[in-house]
C-alpha cells in the first residue's frame, strides 16, 4: 500500500490500481504433461518474473517436480513422457521443434535434491560445463570458476584446495558446488528441485541465504516440501494439487490470506 | 485432520473467554459501585484487575509460544495475532473499569448530584459490546463483529449527551463542578471501553475475513 500525503489528507492507493510493469522471464501456457496415460500436470499457466524467487509447493505427487523439470526439458529423457502446451523463455517456446535442447539447458540451470558432484576435483566439477560449451582459454576458465564459486558462497572454503576431490566436501559444500557448477555457464534461470531436503538446518540456512543473493542476477524457481522455506525465501508462490495449479500469488498473500480454502488447508496442515 | 495445534488454539480461546468474563464483570461492578454507592465494590474491581493483568501476561506468553513452536500460517496466524491484540484491548478495558471505580469512590463521598440514568445505560451498552465482540471471536461470527462496530456511535452520542447535561449543571452552579467532572470522566471511560470493544471486533473481522477494516480504509 502506498500512502501519499495530499492537502494534509491521507490518500491511500491500492496496489492493484497501480500500473505494474511485470518483467516476465518464463511464461508457462496451458501446460499438460503425461507419463504414459497418467496426466501429471493439468492445464497449468503461470508467469515467472525476472529476478524473483518463485516457489512451487504442494503435497507429494502433485506434479511440482514434473513441472519444474519441464522448464529445462529434463522430462525429455524420461521414456513415455508427453508434453502439450508452451513454455516461453524470453518469449520463445522452448518446445519448438527447431530449439536446441543443450542451449536451453545452458540458459536454464538446475540443482537437484541430492548433491551430485562428479567424482573429479572441485576445479574440474565447475569447469566441466564450460569445457563442453567450448571454453578453452585457461585464464577465462579460471576466472569463471572463481566467480561461480564466489557466487555460490563456496570460494573462501575451497580456494586453497581446488584440486581436491569434490567428494571430500561436506553435504552442504557439495550442494553449493553443484550450484557453482550450474552458475558457471551463466544461465538466466536456475531451477532448484528440493535443494535442501538432504541438508542439516545450518547448511539449509546457507543455501537459503545464497538463493536470496542469487536472485539479483538470476531468475529462481524452487520446488520445496518445506513450506516455511517457501515462506522465507520466495517472492511468489504457486500451490499445486493433483497436477492442477490451485493458487498463484505473492508469497505473503498466500501465507497470510490465501484466496482458496484448499490452499489454506494445505499450508495450515489441515490436509488429509 | 485433527491437529494437536487445534487443542492449543482452543486453550488460547478459553483463556481469552476467561479474561473477557473478568473484564465484563469489572465494568458491571464499577458502574454498580457508582450507581448504588457501594464502596466495597470499588475495592473488588481494583483487586480483580490484578488477576486480569496476570492473565494478560499468561496469554501473551501463550501466543508467543504458539508462534515460535508451530509457525502458524494463514487463518491460524491471523487468529494468534488477533488474540495478542485482543488480549491487550481487554487489559485496557480492565484499566478503564478501575478508573470508573476510582471515580465512584470520590463521587459517593458527596451527596448525589442528579439521578444517574444515562451512565448505567452506557455501562450496559459498553459491556454488551465487549461480550458480543468476544462471542463473535469464539463463534466465528463476522456479522456480529460488524454489528458491534456500528453500536459504537450509540455510546458516543450518549457520552455527548451526558457531557452537555452536566455542563448545564456546572454553569448554573459552580459548586457542582467537582462532582460533575467526575461523572463526565466516567462517561469518557465508558466511551473508551466501547472503542476498545470496537477494536476487538475489527481484529475479529481481520481474523475471519483477512480484511483490515480499521480506520475506515474500505470507504476511501
Amino acid at each position: 500500500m502506498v500512502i501519499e500525503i495530499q492537502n494534509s489528507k491521507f490518500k491511500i492507493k491500492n496496489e492493484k490500481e497501480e500500473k505494474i510493469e511485470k518483467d516476465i522471464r518464463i511464461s508457462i501456457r496451458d501446460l499438460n504433461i503425461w507419463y504414459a496415460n497418467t496426466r501429471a500436470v493439468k492445464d497449468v499457466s503461470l508467469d515467472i518474473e525476472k529476478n524473483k524467487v518463485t516457489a512451487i509447493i504442494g503435497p507429494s505427487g502433485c506434479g511440482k517436480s514434473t513441472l519444474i523439470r519441464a522448464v529445462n526439458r529434463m522430462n525429455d529423457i524420461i521414456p513415455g513422457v508427453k508434453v502439450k502446451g508452451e513454455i516461453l523463455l524470453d518469449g520463445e517456446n522452448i518446445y519448438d521443434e527447431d530449439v536446441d535442447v543443450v542451449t536451453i539447458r545452458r540458459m536454464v540451470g538446475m540443482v537437484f535434491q541430492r548433491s551430485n558432484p562428479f567424482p573429479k576435483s572441485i576445479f574440474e566439477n565447475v569447469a566441466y560445463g564450460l569445457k563442453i560449451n567450448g571454453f578453452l582459454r585457461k585464464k577465462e576458465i579460471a576466472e569463471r570458476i572463481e566467480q561461480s564459486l564466489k557466487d555460490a558462497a563456496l570460494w573462501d572454503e575451497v580456494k586453497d584446495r581446488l584440486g581436491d576431490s569434490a567428494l571430500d566436501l561436506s553435504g552442504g559444500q557439495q550442494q553449493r558446488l553443484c550450484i557453482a557448477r550450474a552458475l558457471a555457464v551463466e544461465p538466466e534461470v536456475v531451477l532448484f528441485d528440493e535443494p535442501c531436503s538432504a541438508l542439516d538446518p545450518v547448511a539449509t540456512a546457507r543455501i537459503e541465504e545464497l538463493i536470496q543473493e542469487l536472485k539479483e542476477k538470476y531468475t529462481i524457481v524452487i520446488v520445496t516440501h518445506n513450506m516455511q522455506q517457501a515462506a522465507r525465501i520466495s517472492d511468489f508462490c504457486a500451490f499445486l494439487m493433483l497436477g492442477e495449479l490451485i493458487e498463484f500469488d505473492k508469497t505473503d498473500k498466500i501465507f497470510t490470506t490465501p484466496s482458496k480454502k484448499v490452499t489454506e488447508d494445505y499450508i495450515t496442515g489441515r490436509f488429509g | 485432520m485433527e491437529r494437536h495445534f487445534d487443542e492449543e488454539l482452543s486453550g488460547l480461546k478459553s483463556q481469552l473467554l476467561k479474561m473477557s468474563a473478568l473484564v465484563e464483570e469489572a465494568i458491571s461492578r464499577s458502574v454498580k459501585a457508582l450507581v448504588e454507592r457501594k464502596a466495597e465494590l470499588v475495592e473488588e474491581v481494583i483487586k480483580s484487575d490484578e488477576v486480569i493483568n496476570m492473565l494478560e501476561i499468561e496469554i501473551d506468553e501463550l501466543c508467543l509460544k504458539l508462534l515460535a513452536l508451530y509457525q502458524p500460517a494463514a487463518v491460524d496466524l491471523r487468529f494468534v495475532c488477533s488474540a495478542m491484540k485482543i488480549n491487550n484491548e481487554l487489559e485496557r478495558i480492565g484499566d478503564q473499569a478501575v478508573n470508573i471505580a476510582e471515580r465512584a469512590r470520590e463521587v459517593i463521598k458527596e451527596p448525589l448530584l442528579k439521578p444517574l440514568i444515562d451512565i448505567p445505560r452506557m455501562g450496559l451498552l459498553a459491556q454488551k459490546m465487549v461480550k458480543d465482540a468476544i462471542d463473535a471471536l469464539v463463534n466465528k461470527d463476522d456479522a456480529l463483529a460488524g454489528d458491534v462496530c456500528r453500536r459504537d456511535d450509540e455510546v458516543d452520542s450518549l457520552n455527548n449527551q451526558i457531557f452537555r447535561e452536566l455542563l448545564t449543571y456546572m454553569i448554573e452552579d459552580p459548586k457542582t463542578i467537582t462532582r460533575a467532572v467526575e461523572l463526565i470522566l466516567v462517561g469518557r471511560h465508558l466511551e473508551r471501553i466501547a472503542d476498545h470493544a470496537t477494536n476487538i471486533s475489527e481484529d475479529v473481522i481481520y481474523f475471519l475475513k483477512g480484511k483490515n477494516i480499521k480506520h475506515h480504509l474500505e470507504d476511501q
Side-chain angles (χ1 to χ4, degrees):
Chain A
M1 204 122 48
V2 179
I3 299 177
E4 47 174 40
I5 300 167
Q6 213 176 46
N7 304 331
S8 77
K9 267 177 94 181
F10 283 96
K11 196 180 166 195
I12 291 162
K13 268 205 253 171
N14 201 319
E15 237 174 282
K16 282 174 204 152
E17 291 162 16
E18 279 170 44
K19 204 180 162 197
I20 305 166
E21 290 271 317
K22 276 192 198 160
D23 204 349
I24 307 298
R25 172 127 281 169
I26 301 166
S27 189
I28 299 171
R29 294 270 153 266
D30 303 318
L31 191 73
N32 284 279
I33 302 175
W34 286 265
Y35 290 114
N37 293 322
T38 320
R39 189 152 70 130
V41 172
K42 299 172 187 167
D43 297 320
V44 170
S45 292
L46 186 65
D47 283 336
I48 290 165
E49 270 190 57
K50 193 177 166 183
N51 298 102
K52 298 278 188 233
V53 178
T54 302
I56 303 173
I57 59 169
S60 296
C62 72
K64 51 190 191 300
S65 286
T66 308
L67 178 64
I68 201 176
R69 278 152 202 262
V71 179
N72 71 346
R73 293 187 55 173
M74 287 295 283
N75 292 322
D76 291 15
I77 52 178
I78 303 167
V81 168
K82 204 173 91 192
V83 179
K84 240 183 94 183
E86 290 183 331
I87 296 181
L88 307 176
L89 177 63
D90 294 327
E92 279 187 59
N93 184 12
I94 63 165
Y95 282 93
D96 275 349
E97 278 178 16
D98 55 352
V99 163
D100 174 26
V101 181
V102 177
T103 312
I104 294 297
R105 294 195 189 133
R106 193 189 60 73
M107 288 165 77
V108 184
M110 190 151 191
V111 177
F112 299 89
Q113 183 173 355
R114 292 231 158 244
S115 52
N116 51 356
F118 304 129
K120 290 169 181 277
S121 71
I122 295 167
F123 186 94
E124 285 300 322
N125 262 279
V126 188
Y128 187 80
L130 295 172
K131 286 181 178 167
I132 60 165
N133 274 291
F135 279 84
L136 294 169
R137 287 174 44 212
K138 275 195 177 157
K139 189 166 166 267
E140 206 175 348
I141 291 179
E143 279 170 9
R144 279 278 191 98
I145 285 171
E146 181 174 339
Q147 191 54 50
S148 308
L149 286 167
K150 277 179 176 165
D151 283 352
L154 188 61
W155 176 251
D156 289 338
E157 291 159 57
V158 300
K159 64 182 176 203
D160 302 321
R161 48 174 176 138
L162 292 175
D164 289 6
S165 167
L167 302 178
D168 292 342
L169 297 172
S170 72
Q173 286 173 328
Q174 286 190 14
Q175 191 62 306
R176 277 179 283 141
L177 180 67
C178 292
I179 293 172
R181 189 174 65 189
L183 300 181
V185 294
E186 298 189 323
E188 291 176 5
V189 179
V190 186
L191 309 175
F192 288 87
D193 191 356
E194 295 183 40
C196 303
S197 53
L199 300 180
D200 71 36
V202 176
T204 298
R206 294 205 64 157
I207 302 280
E208 288 183 3
E209 283 300 318
L210 178 58
I211 288 173
Q212 291 292 300
E213 283 162 29
L214 289 176
K215 76 172 183 184
E216 285 180 20
K217 282 193 190 175
Y218 309 92
T219 300
I220 312 272
V221 185
I222 176 168
V223 161
T224 175
H225 262 311
N226 181 335
M227 271 178 294
Q228 291 307 321
Q229 179 170 67
R232 281 193 296 268
I233 66 174
S234 69
D235 301 293
F236 294 92
C237 196
F239 171 53
L240 246 66
M241 208 174 75
L242 300 169
E244 284 177 61
L245 178 66
I246 306 291
E247 192 165 347
F248 177 56
D249 213 322
K250 286 190 173 162
T251 301
D252 54 359
K253 173 87 170 45
I254 296 269
F255 283 87
T256 55
T257 50
S259 321
K260 302 265 170 67
K261 181 82 174 67
V262 203
T263 315
E264 180 143 288
D265 287 349
Y266 181 66
I267 62 169
T268 56
R270 284 190 176 83
F271 231 68
Chain B
M1 187 173 66
E2 269 298 307
R3 303 174 306 169
H4 179 66
F5 186 49
D6 289 324
E7 273 174 43
E8 298 268 24
L9 289 180
S10 65
L12 174 57
K13 231 178 236 182
S14 51
Q15 288 283 77
L16 282 173
L17 266 176
K18 190 170 150 195
M19 176 122 170
S20 169
L22 286 170
V23 164
E24 287 163 40
E25 184 64 31
I27 302 170
S28 147
R29 276 184 188 162
S30 65
V31 176
K32 203 170 170 189
L34 177 75
V35 177
E36 297 181 9
R37 306 175 79 79
K38 285 182 172 158
E40 69 273 18
L41 287 179
V42 171
E43 300 317 313
E44 278 179 28
V45 171
I46 291 167
K47 199 112 196 86
S48 79
D49 196 50
E50 287 168 22
V51 183
I52 293 171
N53 290 346
M54 291 307 292
L55 204 51
E56 186 206 11
I57 292 169
E58 267 177 43
I59 293 175
D60 253 346
E61 283 174 356
L62 178 58
C63 290
L64 277 178
K65 187 188 99 176
L66 296 183
L67 289 175
L69 301 188
Y70 293 90
Q71 291 133 37
V75 66
D76 298 333
L77 176 66
R78 300 201 303 269
F79 177 70
V80 178
C81 289
S82 298
M84 282 184 102
K85 292 165 117 183
I86 289 167
N87 180 34
N88 198 247
E89 300 287 350
L90 286 172
E91 192 274 334
R92 296 291 299 139
I93 295 174
D95 290 347
Q96 296 291 357
V98 170
N99 289 339
I100 295 170
E102 283 169 347
R103 298 277 80 77
R105 185 157 56 197
E106 300 308 312
V107 171
I108 60 183
K109 285 178 189 160
E110 308 274 334
L112 195 64
L113 177 64
K114 64 176 279 294
L116 299 176
I117 294 154
D118 288 335
I119 285 179
R121 260 180 71 199
M122 225 179 141
L124 283 178
L125 282 174
Q127 190 188 335
K128 186 81 178 16
M129 280 172 75
V130 176
K131 182 181 186 299
D132 286 351
I134 297 296
D135 281 352
L137 173 79
V138 174
N139 302 327
K140 301 187 177 177
D141 185 345
D142 58 294
L144 183 60
D147 187 47
V148 172
C149 293
R150 281 185 290 278
R151 274 186 255 159
D152 188 41
D153 291 342
E154 211 176 321
V155 176
D156 285 349
S157 70
L158 269 176
N159 186 36
N160 288 335
Q161 195 174 310
I162 290 169
F163 177 74
R164 282 196 309 271
E165 194 190 358
L166 289 166
L167 199 60
T168 60
Y169 278 83
M170 292 192 286
I171 293 166
E172 274 171 29
D173 179 6
K175 283 203 286 292
T176 63
I177 287 177
T178 324
R179 279 175 293 163
V181 165
E182 297 285 4
L183 293 177
I184 286 173
L185 284 172
V186 170
R188 165 89 180 135
H189 296 319
L190 287 169
E191 185 264 331
R192 293 299 300 153
I193 289 177
D195 286 349
H196 288 302
T198 307
N199 288 349
I200 293 175
S201 301
E202 288 167 347
D203 289 330
V204 170
I205 289 172
Y206 180 70
F207 151 54
L208 294 173
K209 308 290 258 187
K211 213 167 59 182
N212 200 332
I213 61 155
K214 279 182 195 278
H215 314 301
H216 308 284
L217 284 181
E218 292 277 288
D219 313 336
Q220 284 172 32

